[in-house]
């Protein structure tokens, strides 16, 4: 047959189909792009016929043992080597096995050198513009050039060894990838140690690696990565059941610049690997460990006591005890953000000691979720010990009561943000003590789904106002009613953001004092689900705060009618987001809105407004001049032809219908 012309690009289409890859898509020519114009002649006899897809005939060069091919490939200049990788999966895998140190720089004497019939662009040092072409633009692949670094994300069926090998070979001449994210999908075994090894060899400057849901990747992958990618800074492992301590220990030994490590649901990871990371990675700043059943106190304590640069720590669903918290409290001198959740074996004593150890002086943000160990006493101890705490977020901490909150508020002098969610022993009294201890620092307070809140009258005269508070959220606390609200109005005169969504029990008379007493000017108001509010409230908000109001949510305020809309249109110059979903408004209300010359809405939601009909078409078209989003879901009286017409004229606006 003589020497055949190998046309890499065409081959790929053919070959990919024969790999038995489940994806069968453009699996690898996107990564090794061999320009069709470039035809490489290979000197050795080749038996491919005209019919390139007849794979039965083995090209005679393939009778050479892999060792020989390997020797040949490693003597080729970079661009030619990449062309060879285009020939077959077998060749690709051989090429991807060539480590940087294997590559021979002297290529001149090699007879198998590919000579293009077009102008081949190989230059003397083996780097060419065609190498750049090999990283082809592939829209689906989320390949971003980020800070001049190459980034890739492989997901689902695209996550295969072949693709990884192709990526490694294709980017090798540019220094390899800098960031790689692989997300497997359970039943498919796409990526194995083979593909990861290719990456380890081809991407020596890899800095950021994420491996999610990869059931066949073992420690061998991490051992190879550790060997090839010592510049690694971020490693994120999630649901990799075969990765154990061995792989992580290899990383700890070879990657001294690791700053970020996250391990989730890796059931074989043990204490010793974390100890090794603590010792081997002095720059470690951020650690997150979730749901690793073999990790215990020895692991966490070993890590925290030696990783002295640690700033962000997140521990979730671990079988650790008071001991770990004591170590964190003692050694965590650089920790600024600490998040602890579902630590069922940590008791009150653990949190108490953590605060009392007085090491957490840099702690600025504390998040605790589902930990029975947070009690009144341990919360106060944290307040005393962590003297720079600015943000406290407690969720599902059932044992904290008003007394604990009051004691904490007294000692936490720098607190700026307090968020309490599903803490059912907290009532208005706790909230009031937090507010009245605010010392000009507290800016944001949120009470969410706290079932213990009951409406009660309080003597507001004895309370001093908290002038620093800008944001107040009381969401889905069904007991919170109008009497409590009146008290809030007195103590929070400088609010800008008010979220009272889901407070079914509040009425106009409860809310009006807040609106009228506000001195700062409300900017964002969320009254979603406050069923009993009427136009009176909306009119007051519009008249008094029209010059500051930007966001108004009235979703589900079914007593709000068309009456409100002319005033909104006249007064609210800066309103950009208006939600009137499920309100009692009709076409004439929309007409009034459209009449407002000063109104420049960007988002308008009218979902569930059944009285709006296709007579609103001209008004909506007018409003649409400024709109970016319009929600018309469940507007039963708007006909489909009206919708079509709107879509036609409002091409700038996203219409939900
Ligand atoms: C080329 O291969 C295809 C399928 O492999 C076959 O159907 C076709 O007959 C072959 N053509 C020639 C000219 O051999
Ligand atoms: C190489 O390219 C130049 C111009 O780019 C062209 O004139 C010349 O014919 C090409 N040589 C070959 C062998 O194709
Ligand atoms: C892993 O796959 C499961 C389904 O198989 C999915 O629910 C989960 O979100 C995936 N996790 C990640 C991190 O992609
Ligand atoms: C770690 O980072 C430092 C400073 O950025 C750099 O000089 C050093 O080469 C890096 N070490 C490795 C193994 O990449
Ligand atoms: C991890 O450490 C804890 C104690 O700190 C120990 O109980 C547990 O057995 C250790 N786990 C392994 C797998 O060694
Ligand atoms: C808590 O620790 C004790 C022993 O220290 C152990 O028996 C128990 O199983 C642990 N509980 C949980 C939820 O891990
Ligand atoms: C939790 O850790 C303790 C020792 O620290 C051990 O005795 C216990 O069996 C562990 N519980 C579970 C559920 O793993
Ligand atoms: C750390 O806490 C600060 C507040 O003190 C917060 O602004 C920041 O987003 C937190 N960082 C992380 C990574 O959670
Ligand atoms: C709304 O107000 C009416 C009377 O004004 C009252 O009967 C009703 O219970 C209130 N609804 C809610 C959910 O509080
Ligand atoms: C208002 O509150 C509802 C319910 O809590 C929420 O879904 C919505 O995102 C909030 N809207 C704004 C603008 O904050
Ligand atoms: C407007 O809607 C009514 C019913 O709601 C329908 O009878 C009428 O044909 C619609 N007009 C247009 C122009 O779609």
């Amino acid at each position: 047959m003589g020497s055949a012309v190998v046309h890499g690009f065409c081959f790929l289409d053919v070959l990919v189909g024969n790999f038995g890859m489940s994806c069968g898509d453009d699996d690898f020519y996107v990564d090794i792009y061999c320009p069709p114009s470039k035809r490489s002649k290979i000197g050795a006899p080749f038996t491919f016929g005209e019919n390139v897809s007849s794979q039965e005939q083995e090209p005679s060069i393939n009778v050479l043992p892999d060792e020989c091919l390997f020797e040949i490939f490693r003597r080729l200049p970079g661009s030619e080597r990449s062309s060879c990788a285009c020939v077959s999966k077998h060749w690709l895998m051989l090429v991807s096995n060539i480590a940087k140190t294997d590559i021979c720089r002297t290529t001149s004497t090699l007879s198998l050198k590919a000579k293009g019939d077009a102008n081949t662009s190989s230059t003397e040092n083996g780097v060419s513009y065609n190498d750049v072409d090999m990283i082809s633009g592939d829209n689906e692949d989320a390949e971003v050039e980020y800070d001049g670094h190459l980034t890739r994300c492989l997901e689902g069926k695209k996550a295969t060894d072949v693709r990884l090998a192709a990526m490694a070979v294709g980017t090798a001449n540019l220094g390899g990838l800098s960031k790689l994210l692989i997300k497997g999908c359970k039943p498919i075994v796409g990526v194995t140690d083979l593909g990861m090894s290719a990456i380890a060899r081809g991407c020596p400057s890899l800095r950021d690696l994420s491996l999610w849901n990869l059931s066949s990747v073992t420690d061998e992958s991490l051992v190879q990565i550790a060997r090839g990618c010592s510049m690694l800074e971020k490693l994120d492992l999630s649901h990799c059941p075969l990765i154990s301590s061995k792989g992580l220990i290899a990383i700890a030994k070879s990657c001294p610049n690791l700053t970020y490590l996250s391990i989730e649901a890796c059931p074989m990871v043990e204490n010793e690997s974390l100890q090794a990371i603590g010792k081997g990675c002095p720059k470690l700043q951020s650690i997150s460990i979730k749901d690793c059943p073999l990790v215990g106190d020895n692991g966490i304590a070993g890590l925290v006591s030696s990783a002295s640069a640690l700033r962000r720590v997140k521990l979730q669903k671990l079988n650790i005890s008071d001991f770990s918290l004591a170590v964190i409290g003692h050694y965590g001198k650089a920790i600024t953000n600490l998040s602890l959740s579902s630590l069922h074996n940590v008791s009150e004593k653990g949190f108490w000691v953590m605060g009392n150890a007085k090491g957490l002086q840099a702690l600025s943000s504390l998040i605790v979720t589902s930990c029975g160990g947070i009690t009144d006493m341990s919360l106060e101890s944290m307040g005393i010990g962590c003297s720079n705490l600015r943000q406290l977020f407690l969720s599902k901490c059932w044992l904290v009561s008003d007394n604990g909150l009051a004691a904490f508020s007294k000692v936490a002098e720098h607190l700026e943000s307090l968020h309490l969610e599903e803490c059912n022993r907290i009532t208005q009294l706790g909230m009031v003590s937090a507010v009245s201890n605010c010392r000009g620092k507290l800016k944001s307070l949120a009470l969410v789904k706290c079932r213990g809140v009951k409406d009660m009258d309080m003597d507001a005269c004895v309370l001093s106002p908290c002038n620093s508070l800008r944001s107040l959220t009381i969401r889905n606390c069904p007991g919170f009613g109008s009497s409590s609200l009146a008290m809030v109005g007195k103590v929070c005169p400088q609010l800008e953001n008010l979220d009272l969504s889901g407070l079914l029990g509040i009425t106009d008379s409860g809310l009006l004092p807040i609106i009228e007493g506000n001195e700062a000017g409300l900017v964002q108001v969320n009254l979603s689900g406050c069923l009993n509010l009427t136009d009176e409230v909306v009119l007051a908000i519009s008249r008094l705060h029209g010059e500051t109001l930007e966001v108004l949510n009235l979703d589900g305020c079914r007593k709000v009618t068309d009456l409100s809309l002319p005033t909104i249109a006249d007064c609210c110059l800066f309103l950009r987001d208006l939600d009137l979903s499920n309100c009692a408004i009709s076409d004439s209300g929309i007409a009034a809105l459209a009449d407002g010359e000063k109104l420049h809405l960007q988002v308008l939601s009218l979902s569930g407004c059944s009285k709006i009909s296709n007579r609103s078409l001209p008004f909506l078209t007018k409003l649409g001049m400024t709109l970016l989003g319009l929600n018309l879901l469940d507007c039963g009286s708007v006909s489909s032809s009206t919708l079509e017409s709107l879509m036609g004229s409002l091409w700038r606006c996203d219409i939900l219908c």
Side-chain angles (χ1 to χ4, degrees), residues 612-615 617 636-643:
I612 294 178
S613 76
N614 47 17
R615 275 192 295 275
L617 175 60
S637 313
V638 179
S639 65
S640 53
S641 63
T642 301
L643 289 175

Side-chain angles (χ1 to χ4, degrees), residues 270-271 294 296-298:
E270 292 166 315
N271 298 321
L294 296 185
D297 287 332
N298 286 347

Side-chain angles (χ1 to χ4, degrees), residues 582 606-611 631-638 656-657:
N582 304 300
L606 301 170
S607 82
C609 294
S610 51
K611 291 201 233 161
N631 185 343
L632 293 172
L633 280 173
D634 304 318
C635 293
S637 313
V638 179
L656 216 60
C657 57

Side-chain angles (χ1 to χ4, degrees), residues 116-120:
D117 57 353
N119 284 313
T120 60

Side-chain angles (χ1 to χ4, degrees), residues 183-187 212-213 238-239:
K183 294 188 209 172
C185 54
K186 286 274 164 60
W212 294 354
N213 271 348
S238 172
H239 294 86

Side-chain angles (χ1 to χ4, degrees), residues 117-417:
D117 57 353
N119 284 313
T120 60
S121 43
S122 39
T123 55
E124 275 157 72
N125 61 9
V127 180
S128 73
Y129 283 110
N130 277 341
D131 296 328
V132 180
D133 280 344
M134 280 166 205
I135 324 300
S136 68
D138 178 42
N139 306 331
E140 286 172 88
D141 244 12
E143 173 199 323
V144 205
E145 199 130 342
Y146 149 81
D147 276 353
H149 299 307
L150 291 170
T151 292
R152 277 297 176 92
C153 170
L154 284 192
E155 214 169 322
K157 287 190 291 186
K158 287 190 167 183
T160 63
D161 280 345
V162 177
R163 193 135 194 175
L164 283 177
M167 246 181 220
V169 170
T171 62
N173 288 311
L174 294 168
L177 292 172
S178 171
K179 180 171 175 177
L180 176 61
L181 164 60
I182 310 174
K183 294 188 209 172
C185 54
K186 286 274 164 60
I188 301 165
V189 180
V191 170
T192 70
D193 293 336
L194 209 62
M196 289 311 301
S197 302
I199 290 292
R201 276 185 295 269
C203 305
S205 53
L206 191 69
R207 299 234 162 85
D208 185 340
L209 176 64
S210 301
L211 306 176
W212 294 354
N213 271 348
L214 298 175
S215 51
S216 321
V217 165
T218 75
D219 287 329
E220 180 58 20
S221 287
L222 288 192
V223 168
Q224 295 297 337
I225 290 286
R227 188 173 296 157
C229 314
S230 58
M231 287 160 85
L232 199 67
E233 289 170 7
K234 289 179 121 192
L235 179 62
D236 181 347
L237 305 172
S238 172
H239 294 86
C240 295
L242 301 185
I243 284 183
S244 77
S245 293
K246 187 176 163 222
L248 281 167
I249 289 172
I251 296 282
K253 287 197 172 130
S254 307
C255 304
N257 282 352
L258 197 72
T259 56
Y260 173 99
L261 177 64
S262 170
I263 309 172
E264 174 175 353
C266 296
M268 307 234 297
V269 167
E270 292 166 315
N271 298 321
E272 49 173 346
S273 60
L274 297 178
Q275 293 163 346
I277 293 279
K279 292 205 175 69
C281 307
K283 297 186 181 173
L284 193 69
Q285 288 192 3
S286 179
I287 180 101
S288 168
I289 307 171
K290 178 173 180 184
D291 194 12
C292 295
L294 296 185
V295 169
D297 287 332
N298 286 347
I300 300 302
L303 175 74
V304 173
S305 59
S306 47
S308 57
L310 213 48
R311 295 163 61 85
R312 287 176 293 277
V313 176
K314 193 168 178 179
L315 305 174
Q316 294 168 273
K317 282 179 84 177
L318 296 176
N319 179 13
I320 55 174
S321 75
D322 296 346
F323 180 69
S324 286
L325 265 58
V327 171
I328 293 173
H330 191 266
Y331 288 97
K333 295 201 164 60
I335 297 178
T336 55
N337 296 54
L338 178 61
S339 169
L340 304 170
S341 67
S342 304
L343 304 179
H344 300 304
N345 235 349
V346 172
S347 73
E348 174 178 59
K349 198 170 139 208
F351 282 96
W352 185 84
V353 173
M354 185 162 73
N356 209 42
K358 302 244 166 37
L360 291 173
Q361 292 303 316
L363 191 66
S364 161
S365 163
L366 175 65
I367 299 175
V368 185
T369 305
S370 297
C371 288
I374 279 277
T375 63
D376 288 350
M377 192 173 77
S378 58
L379 184 62
E380 183 181 6
S381 165
M382 290 296 292
I384 296 170
C386 310
S387 52
N388 282 305
L389 200 62
R390 287 180 160 66
Q391 198 179 71
L392 177 68
F393 180 109
L394 295 183
S395 169
K396 301 192 176 110
C397 292
W398 316 276
L399 298 178
V400 179
S401 75
D402 291 339
N403 294 337
L405 193 57
F408 173 81
S409 306
K410 280 208 183 75
V411 293
E413 297 186 0
H414 298 284
L415 199 69
E416 291 171 5
S417 168

